[in-house]
Amino acid sequence: RSRVLPRVALVSCRDLPFGHDDDGSLQSACTSVGLDAEWRVWDDPAVEWASYDLVVIRSTWDYVARRDDFLAWAATVPRLANPADVIDWNTDKRYLAELAAGGLPVVPTTWLTPGDEVRLPASGEYVLKPTVSAGGRDTARYGTEDAERAGAHAAELLAGGRSVMVQPYLSAVDEQGETALLYCGGQYSHAVRKGSLLTGPDPTVDGLYREESIRPRQPTTAEREVAELVLAAVPGGPQRLLYAR
């Protein structure tokens, strides 16, 4: 009698139907632990999502321009990881305001919504981007000498119905990069160093995302503590998450 393997859908987008370059080993890893895993495109109407034992969002980089459609799709998928309501919360960076209100150390942020007057810092460098964004697209680093260009960037986003966030640029990123901590099933797995992406006032990106330099890193105790506080603040608690970064 043959044994039926658990079926897993690894979800990507039409531009990356078999995932990102670094996803190459994921499917074979699933096979090695007894899972029948295959790549699927999230907006393919022919896919029967209910036929899978688990649906895992991986490389859906095109959701930004179609977030409403993406969230509507997520809400219909049984056994989706992570849950649809967490995807809804996390795909708009205004969740950072909730974390800040809860006492977590969030970079000071100015929030602009369509109809607001554009307000930009009077000094120093800053980052301007839409609250729904990924891969560094529509995101730029400005100085006070770039005020006119930054204002035009913000005005264009707002006119397109997109909310905007403005944060001071943390110069330490240029030397130290950013530390991303990865958790699986609520447990710490590993961390990576992400190099700086923003070199100047150009929000244009060729393709789905800016290329970035990533390598292993050992996080500090303070970074581990902050990451776990953030996990604890996820709606419904971290036990609902298959993975987190």
Side-chain angles (χ1 to χ4, degrees), residues 7 23 51 59 62 66 73 78 95 98-99 108-109 111 124 129 142 147 159 171 174 178 191 210 230:
R7 299 186 72 213
D23 285 324
S51 69
S59 299
D62 62 350
R66 301 174 55 200
W73 163 80
Y95 75 85
E98 295 181 32
L99 298 183
T109 307
W111 307 93
K129 60 185 172 182
Y142 295 107
S171 59
D174 291 332
E178 299 179 21
R210 294 180 192 265
V230 172

Side-chain angles (χ1 to χ4, degrees), residues 107 124-127 140-142 167-175 178 196-199:
V107 176
E125 286 191 297
Y126 53 93
V127 175
R141 169 181 173 180
Y142 295 107
Q167 297 177 316
Y169 185 79
L170 304 181
S171 59
V173 172
D174 291 332
E175 297 178 2
E178 299 179 21
S196 60
L197 283 179
L198 304 178
T199 58

Side-chain angles (χ1 to χ4, degrees), residues 135-203:
R137 300 177 71 184
D138 299 314
T139 300
R141 169 181 173 180
Y142 295 107
T144 51
E145 69 278 8
D146 303 310
E148 183 175 349
R149 187 169 182 177
H153 180 190
E156 180 181 5
L157 292 172
L158 293 169
R162 304 176 73 181
S163 295
V164 171
M165 57 193 294
V166 183
Q167 297 177 316
Y169 185 79
L170 304 181
S171 59
V173 172
D174 291 332
E175 297 178 2
Q176 302 173 23
E178 299 179 21
T179 302
L181 291 87
L182 289 298
Y183 288 76
C184 295
Q187 300 298 312
Y188 172 73
S189 172
H190 61 286
V192 297
R193 176 194 184 276
K194 302 176 66 178
S196 60
L197 283 179
L198 304 178
T199 58
D202 184 2

Side-chain angles (χ1 to χ4, degrees), residues 77-156:
V77 178
R79 300 175 291 282
L80 180 69
N82 288 324
D85 65 296
V86 175
I87 300 299
D88 188 346
W89 177 76
N90 192 235
T91 51
D92 188 323
K93 292 178 176 59
R94 283 179 288 191
Y95 75 85
L96 292 172
E98 295 181 32
L99 298 183
L104 294 175
V106 175
V107 176
T109 307
T110 298
W111 307 93
L112 304 174
T113 57
D116 288 346
E117 179 183 353
V118 174
R119 305 184 306 279
L120 299 174
S123 61
E125 286 191 297
Y126 53 93
V127 175
L128 188 156
K129 60 185 172 182
T131 62
V132 177
S133 60
R137 300 177 71 184
D138 299 314
T139 300
R141 169 181 173 180
Y142 295 107
T144 51
E145 69 278 8
D146 303 310
E148 183 175 349
R149 187 169 182 177
H153 180 190
E156 180 181 5

